[in-house]
Amino acid sequence: MTVLLMTPPMTQLNTPYPATAYLTGFLRSRGYSAVQRDPAIELFLEMMTAQGLDIMRQHVEENFESFEDDQLPEVIYTFLAEFDRYRLCVEPVIRFLQGKDPSLALRIISRRFLPEGPAYNAITEMEAVSGDVLKTAFGDLGVQDKAKYLATLFINDLSAVITQGVDPYFEVSRYGERLAAANPYFDDLYDTLMAEPSFSSEILEQLVELYLEETQPTVVALTVPFPGNMLGALRIAQVCKEINPNLPVVMGGGFINTELRALKDTRLFEFVDFICLDDGERPLLTLLEYLKGEREVDDLVRTYFLAEDETGERYVHLNENTALHDIPQTDVGAPVYDGLPLSDYLSLCEMLNPMHRIWSDGRWNKLTIAHGCYWRKCSFCDVSLDYIDRYDEAGADILVDRIEQLIEETGQTGFHFVDEAAPPKALFALARRLIERGVVISWWGNIRFEKTFTAERCQLLADSGCIAVSGGLEVASDRLLQLMKKGVSVEQVARVTKAFSDSGILVHAYLMYGFPTQTEQETIDALEMVRQMMQQGCFQSAYWHRFAATIHSPIGLNPEDYGITLVERPETQFAENDVDFIDPVKVDHDMLGEGLRKALYNYMHGIGFDQPLSFWFTAPVSRPLVRKNLISKAINSVITSG
């Protein structure tokens, strides 16, 4: 029995999504023949060729044949006007971003080699504020990084051409996301799948045909980590069924686990045979045993399939089977990257910020220190679901063994620990074991800004190879942090993040606005505290996102505890996650959000700290009530007492 595992488009371009690597390693450890492919990266690379651009131009010219030049979107006009240069440059740029042709950097930084479309306007805008930002960011010797940034802008322009002129569902890190995300009905996806295939769909179909011919699978397994992977997954399943209607197709992943908990639409099973929830090891193992005739269908674990009632009518059935436990972290084995084109991923530099670029630059081996979250209290988090609620760790020695195994296989010593929140004790134990065993790696991951991260312990993590951490400051308001049961205060976060930064570890802060009962004053005060923390060097990068209530979080389950009322929603047939709510506190969060993002964008580039906060907003806002020395005083109190 051969299982072919695939990650559908689109995901990040710099490193493979880890789900298929986890499951490939696990299935092989259990004696199965498991192979994996990454159509997400291969689809993108097929587009980014001279031949791919020829096809793109045909589509663009057909779609815009009735437009005059002055009516064309800027990125489309530039693409058509500079097409010969785009065609000449695209393949060399891809090789450069793959690390296969570093000498091209000198031509790229000349600013005469690549055609420059709207994406390059970001440079002009920043230069208007602070002069030569490229020289400030890269100096005279940062040739490779400067070229990588300029080449990334080139890729962004071409991606915009695809989205605006060829395939409206395409984006670099997602595909058809709005068709799937929190959509109670399957109609939009189904109608798209029944329509004529798009440019990207045609390429995807060719790739899937090749994979099936190469691997001759007995079962196809698709991971759907995000809403932006669902359309691609169903396209792949559709092709598999057209080639071999009897080939079992199974689907799982983060989007499935979060949003398809109330699935009823039987049409989804025109494309797939089984849908598994939560951790995939046990459900997939049990399903394979069923397909081999070693188990009954009632033995399937957390698996959807079509069943028939006594009248013969088909309906979606979920078999829970709580009798079988999940595979513990000690037994899941190490990920395996065999079958993935590790040398073909692109290292991008999307922003002139050392921390922010880590997500898109470099290829990282992915590992989990512990399953679930050790805190499990945050009111905005999906604490009722397995991926948060069930906590299980493997232990430091097993982790270091897996790290050494991955280094031997991939030749790469960069690691991204993809925990919901890495437990401090486990991190400290891992750090000590790495040092004791002389294992040299560079690693980063997500944490909670716990007070246990003292200056000494941050230095321990740095000595073990920690280069960056991310964590939630969220609303940057002590009242709201307490309401959301975050377990931290603003001043504590300032001290902890400063300790990390002083140890040479980059820090990224997750921020949110629009939390239930959050006032405009609290939002403006939060921005002021973020400004102070970034100016003091507590963290280097951050991201504001608009709060969304989800049905699996304490807020979604008990909205009255947070002073809000959920908006009535239709009966779910397909996906369900975000839920609209009515907040008695009336605030223009759209206007505030635009200003928050504008201010933060400038702060991350090291500029704009001296501007009054009102500068960033299009309407008058409250003056901040935060003391100007709040953060510096919080930091210095620790330094003085230490």
Side-chain angles (χ1 to χ4, degrees), residues 245-293:
N246 297 317
L247 178 63
V249 177
V250 56
M251 186 181 290
F255 169 72
I256 305 293
N257 303 337
T258 305
E259 302 207 19
L260 299 194
R261 311 295 298 204
L263 178 64
K264 296 183 181 68
D265 198 315
T266 59
R267 291 177 297 174
L268 185 55
F269 291 87
E270 295 177 22
F271 308 93
V272 300
D273 300 280
F274 304 95
I275 297 174
C276 297
L277 296 176
D278 301 325
D279 269 20
E281 286 87 357
R282 176 62 74 188
L284 189 53
L285 187 63
T286 310
L287 176 60
L288 296 178
E289 292 167 350
Y290 163 72
L291 293 173
K292 290 193 299 181

Side-chain angles (χ1 to χ4, degrees), residues 120-259:
Y120 292 79
N121 293 343
I123 299 175
T124 305
E125 292 168 1
M126 287 186 288
E127 286 178 340
V129 177
S130 60
D132 191 344
V133 294
L134 295 184
K135 186 174 181 64
T136 301
F138 303 111
D140 293 323
L141 295 178
V143 172
Q144 293 294 321
D145 282 345
K146 182 178 180 181
K148 190 179 293 185
Y149 175 66
L150 294 169
T152 300
L153 297 178
F154 173 85
I155 294 297
N156 289 347
D157 274 331
L158 283 178
S159 299
V161 170
I162 299 173
T163 305
Q164 296 184 36
V166 181
D167 185 345
Y169 300 124
F170 177 87
E171 291 183 64
V172 168
S173 60
R174 56 184 65 88
Y175 185 70
E177 181 178 52
R178 66 181 180 273
L179 297 175
N183 191 337
Y185 304 115
F186 188 54
D187 299 47
D188 293 337
L189 275 170
Y190 190 79
D191 292 345
T192 302
L193 291 163
M194 293 298 105
E196 286 295 316
S198 64
F199 166 50
S200 55
S201 296
E202 292 172 349
I203 298 174
L204 186 59
E205 180 176 347
Q206 296 167 10
L207 289 171
V208 174
E209 289 176 355
L210 176 63
Y211 299 152
L212 295 182
E213 184 178 344
E214 287 176 342
T215 63
Q216 296 294 308
T218 315
V219 178
V220 169
L222 305 172
T223 183
V224 187
F226 310 109
N229 300 104
M230 190 61 178
L231 177 58
L234 290 171
R235 284 287 190 201
I236 292 172
Q238 188 178 38
V239 175
C240 289
K241 289 298 185 183
E242 288 172 355
I243 294 173
N244 181 0
N246 297 317
L247 178 63
V249 177
V250 56
M251 186 181 290
F255 169 72
I256 305 293
N257 303 337
T258 305
E259 302 207 19

Side-chain angles (χ1 to χ4, degrees), residues 182 258-259 378-385 387 547-559 564 566 569 576-581:
T258 305
E259 302 207 19
C378 296
S379 60
F380 58 84
C381 195
D382 293 337
V383 296
S384 65
L385 296 182
Y387 81 98
F547 169 78
T550 63
I551 59 170
H552 307 297
S553 68
I555 291 177
L557 296 170
N558 303 293
I564 60 172
L566 299 186
R569 54 192 187 277
E576 181 181 46
N577 190 35
D578 295 356
V579 288
D580 293 332
F581 62 90

Side-chain angles (χ1 to χ4, degrees), residues 578-593:
D578 295 356
V579 288
D580 293 332
F581 62 90
I582 299 170
D583 190 335
V585 177
K586 302 302 180 184
V587 177
D588 187 351
H589 291 301
D590 291 336
M591 182 275 292
L592 290 173

